[in-house]
Amino acid sequence: MLELDLSQGLLSVPATGPREVLRSLHTPTMQAIRTGLRKAGDDPEVAGLVVHTGTCQASAAQLDELGELIAAFGERKPTLAWSETFGELTNDLFAHRLASHCHQIWLGPSGMLGSQGVDLTVTLLRGSLDKVGVEPQFGQRHEYKSAADQFVATEVSDANREMMQRIADSLLDESVERIARRRALEPEAVRAEIDRAPLTAEQAVAAGLVDRIGYRDQVYDWVSENWGAVLEPRPWQSAEGRDDGPRVHLQYVHRYAKDQFGAVASGLTRRNRPAIGVVAVQGGIVSGTGRRGPLQDPQAGSDAVTAQLRTVRRDDKVKAVILRVDSPGGSYVASDSIRREVVRLREAGIPVVASMGGVAASGGYFVSMGADEIVVNPSTLTGSIGVLAGKLVTSGLTDKVGLVRESMSAGDNATMFSTLAPFTERHWEVLNTWLDAVYRDFTTKAAADRGLDLTVLEPLARGRVWTGADAVRHRLADHLGGVDLAIERACALAEVDRDDATLKAAAAGPWWTQLRPAESSESRHAESRVGVENVIASAGGIEGLWRAAATAAGLAPTGVLSLPYRFDIG
């Protein structure tokens, strides 16, 4: 009997450092779950799947993808989800939404169903910046590019409020639709219960949102008694002290996947099969190699990503490519370089499917839009086809803390991006001309890539963020689904039988291999270059301290095509 315990969390990308490697020993990866459930659905020795949502340490997008995998497995085997509680005076809508993909849902007697809806919060920093003497100066294209609002605005704009309200409504609408469909309920009834939540366990059962009430031992006793094809204990397990009833061997899905697909066996049996290349764009998009150190948040360096795309293009076994994007964007130039290599793949006759994770907005959308098809999760945050740029003038802050800083410059515009002085009229003219040019290029390429007239695309742009569900409705994306669907679409476009294909990651490998010198920019390991400056970060003066603080708060942009703030969905 397979188990999936979401209290352990989920990993969407391979481990790249010692900390991640240690964590991955106990935390299931999406790849292992995908592989395990696909194999287990046809395995006569697998009785079914029990999912413990628990504290559910996973993002909404991860839960979207996982729900589809569980539902596909459930077409062949019984499934059951249980939890001590779906929130304890907290909102846990997405955990219950995931559980609804199982045939049965159990809830602990003392638990509750905390599916109160969706709550998004907008935070504006202008008042705090004024108090410490920092003057924000930003330009944006256009009204929905509210990332600049967090620094500049003193109140939430109508456009920002409209955008955020639509995101909340879309997330709730999709949750209601999924729960109603999976639970065979009317959407109006589900929405009414959400508006009435939190519910006690008894109320949740009466509403049809939960099937049974019980503790963990009662859940497993019921499973053992009702899921016919239970297994005897493994030969090395002792049955001493047990009764003579049927035995159930429990195994985590990711451990089952590892047993089924050992590295050696996989390499021997799949060496000559057609491959689907996988290239990841994870983190802020920057020029150069980006950060991938063991103690740092990842960045998608354009040098690294484009080198990987060139590698898969030269590999004769690669018949299609999945571009896995989980990025709030960043540098316009770096994003454009990555898109160029995506287009070159298509020109070489290699289909590309972009698979979006939790967020693929602004620069994250820019690198994706050149693909043949885009697959999104319903809760993916995407779009944000817009641009912003500016600076924080810190002269007031330095005066307050008694720092003396004086600039000696040569050149009329040398101080344009200095934080010691505000923009001049000439600076604003240069900045606005450039913002207009970037926005025009972004929208023109997006319209061409998506096969839309510019007059149709542009109103959907203007910096607006969409959920994946809305992006598909507006033709900014093609399909609702996760990596599993992206694999299917890649195989279909390449006319390859999925059962014959193997996934081939084009990653740079573990962080210690990044020290290996490359022979040239075309070397296989060219994308692995890393310097000491990428391992040991410097504060970089007063501006660096501000950037560090902004990064810790999830506010730091990595370029003009950035979505620098985090969405905390509750």
Side-chain angles (χ1 to χ4, degrees):
M1 184 169 64
L2 296 182
E3 294 181 294
L4 180 58
D5 188 353
L6 297 181
S7 295
Q8 301 179 40
L10 288 173
L11 293 177
S12 293
V13 296
T16 57
R19 181 178 59 181
E20 292 82 3
V21 169
L22 289 175
R23 184 185 172 201
S24 67
L25 294 176
H26 306 285
T27 305
T29 65
M30 289 299 299
Q31 180 178 348
I33 294 171
R34 190 181 308 113
T35 301
L37 291 181
R38 186 173 175 82
K39 173 67 175 178
D42 297 322
D43 188 345
E45 291 194 342
V46 173
L49 172 68
V50 175
V51 180
H52 176 221
T53 64
T55 53
C56 207
Q57 304 294 314
S59 69
Q62 287 176 319
L63 296 179
D64 279 344
E65 181 173 354
L66 185 56
E68 293 300 325
L69 294 173
I70 291 173
F73 175 84
E75 294 176 0
R76 293 170 287 181
K77 304 279 185 177
T79 56
L80 181 149
W82 72 279
S83 185
E84 297 85 353
T85 184
F86 290 103
E88 189 170 1
L89 294 179
T90 57
N91 193 353
D92 216 354
L93 172 65
F94 290 95
H96 180 255
R97 170 169 150 175
L98 169 76
S100 68
H101 290 81
C102 292
H103 296 127
Q104 282 200 55
I105 303 176
W106 286 58
L107 178 59
S110 56
M112 61 175 57
L113 183 59
S115 300
Q116 292 98 296
V118 177
D119 180 44
L120 302 179
T121 302
V122 175
T123 301
L124 303 179
L125 303 176
R126 179 60 186 268
S128 298
L129 295 176
D130 287 345
K131 290 181 183 298
V132 297
V134 175
E135 180 186 358
Q137 294 190 333
F138 285 85
Q140 62 192 60
R141 298 293 184 277
H142 279 279
E143 68 274 18
Y144 293 105
K145 195 68 175 178
S146 55
D149 284 3
Q150 64 184 319
F151 300 113
V152 177
T154 56
E155 60 183 21
V156 179
S157 67
D158 291 341
N160 195 6
R161 184 179 294 107
E162 175 194 352
M163 178 180 71
M164 297 296 285
Q165 184 62 58
R166 178 55 206 160
I167 291 173
D169 290 342
S170 177
L171 292 171
L172 180 58
D173 290 346
E174 185 69 21
S175 297
V176 168
E177 189 278 330
R178 285 200 173 203
I179 293 171
R181 175 161 45 90
R182 297 290 178 183
R183 301 292 301 169
L185 299 170
E186 291 297 324
E188 294 78 10
V190 173
R191 190 177 291 272
E193 294 302 330
I194 288 176
D195 289 340
R196 196 163 66 97
L199 307 177
T200 65
E202 291 78 10
Q203 289 173 327
V205 171
L209 298 175
V210 168
D211 295 290
R212 292 172 178 264
I213 300 173
Y215 294 101
R216 180 190 184 281
D217 61 294
Q218 294 172 314
V219 170
Y220 281 80
D221 285 346
W222 185 93
V223 167
S224 296
E225 294 170 2
N226 290 274
W227 286 7
V230 294
L231 305 181
E232 294 294 331
R234 299 299 194 196
W236 58 84
Q237 292 179 314
S238 171
E240 188 175 330
R242 300 174 182 173
D243 58 33
D244 294 330
R247 309 294 188 212
V248 176
H249 173 68
L250 299 177
Q251 189 172 36
Y252 285 128
V253 174
H254 58 289
R255 299 300 302 173
Y256 170 85
K258 183 176 181 180
D259 288 350
Q260 295 295 317
F261 296 95
V264 175
S266 178
L268 291 175
T269 58
R270 300 191 168 208
R271 181 176 300 167
N272 296 319
R273 292 187 179 184
I276 305 299
V278 181
V279 176
V281 180
Q282 184 189 17
I285 299 173
V286 298
S287 294
T289 57
R291 287 195 309 249
R292 283 178 301 198
L295 302 178
Q296 299 171 314
D297 291 332
Q299 288 181 330
S302 59
D303 287 358
V305 176
T306 55
Q308 291 170 22
L309 290 170
R310 289 194 299 271
T311 296
V312 296
R313 181 162 50 84
R314 291 192 298 264
D315 191 334
D316 292 338
K317 291 187 176 64
V318 172
K319 306 304 180 184
V321 172
I322 294 174
L323 188 71
R324 178 61 175 174
V325 182
D326 201 340
S327 170
S331 164
Y332 163 59
V333 174
S335 300
D336 194 34
S337 297
I338 294 172
R339 174 188 171 275
R340 170 63 180 169
E341 292 296 338
V342 171
V343 172
R344 290 187 70 205
L345 276 168
R346 296 181 61 187
E347 291 174 347
I350 302 175
V352 181
V353 175
S355 171
M356 294 182 171
V359 58
S362 205
Y365 187 80
F366 198 110
V367 302
S368 305
M369 63 192 188
D372 290 275
E373 295 183 3
I374 299 176
V375 178
V376 293
N377 291 302
S379 59
T380 296
L381 297 175
T382 187
S384 191
I385 303 172
V387 58
L388 79 158
K391 62 181 179 179
L392 297 175
V393 180
T394 60
S395 54
L397 172 62
T398 57
D399 290 343
K400 285 178 179 290
V401 298
L403 291 178
V404 177
R405 304 180 73 207
E406 183 177 345
S407 173
M408 277 64 79
S409 60
D412 292 343
N413 290 325
T415 61
M416 181 171 176
F417 289 104
S418 169
T419 61
L420 295 181
F423 288 128
T424 65
E425 290 186 10
R426 170 59 180 160
H427 294 162
W428 276 116
E429 180 183 345
V430 172
L431 182 65
N432 284 322
T433 299
W434 189 70
L435 290 174
D436 288 338
V438 174
Y439 183 72
R440 183 166 55 251
D441 185 58
F442 198 165
T443 53
T444 300
K445 287 177 177 174
D449 288 344
R450 296 302 303 162
L452 299 172
D453 192 274
L454 185 58
T455 58
V456 175
L457 183 284
E458 202 279 334
L460 302 173
R462 310 191 71 79
R464 181 161 185 168
V465 179
W466 302 96
T467 64
D470 280 345
V472 171
R473 294 188 187 99
H474 292 300
R475 294 188 288 169
L476 296 176
D478 299 292
H479 308 287
L480 288 178
V483 175
D484 199 55
L485 179 59
I487 296 171
E488 289 184 9
R489 293 306 307 151
C491 290
L493 292 174
E495 299 182 347
V496 171
D497 189 325
R498 177 170 179 175
D499 292 333
D500 291 334
T502 181
L503 295 182
K504 188 172 186 178
W511 66 272
W512 57 85
T513 66
Q514 297 171 27
L515 299 175
R516 181 186 307 174
E519 291 294 328
S520 74
S521 63
E522 291 293 326
S523 297
R524 181 176 181 84
H525 297 288
E527 72 273 20
S528 301
R529 292 171 296 172
V530 63
V532 174
E533 69 278 3
N534 283 337
V535 179
I536 304 175
S538 170
I542 191 71
E543 293 88 356
L545 293 175
W546 270 105
R547 284 194 297 270
T551 299
L555 302 172
T558 53
V560 299
L561 299 189
S562 290
L563 187 73
Y565 50 89
R566 281 197 299 252
F567 280 88
D568 293 321
I569 301 172

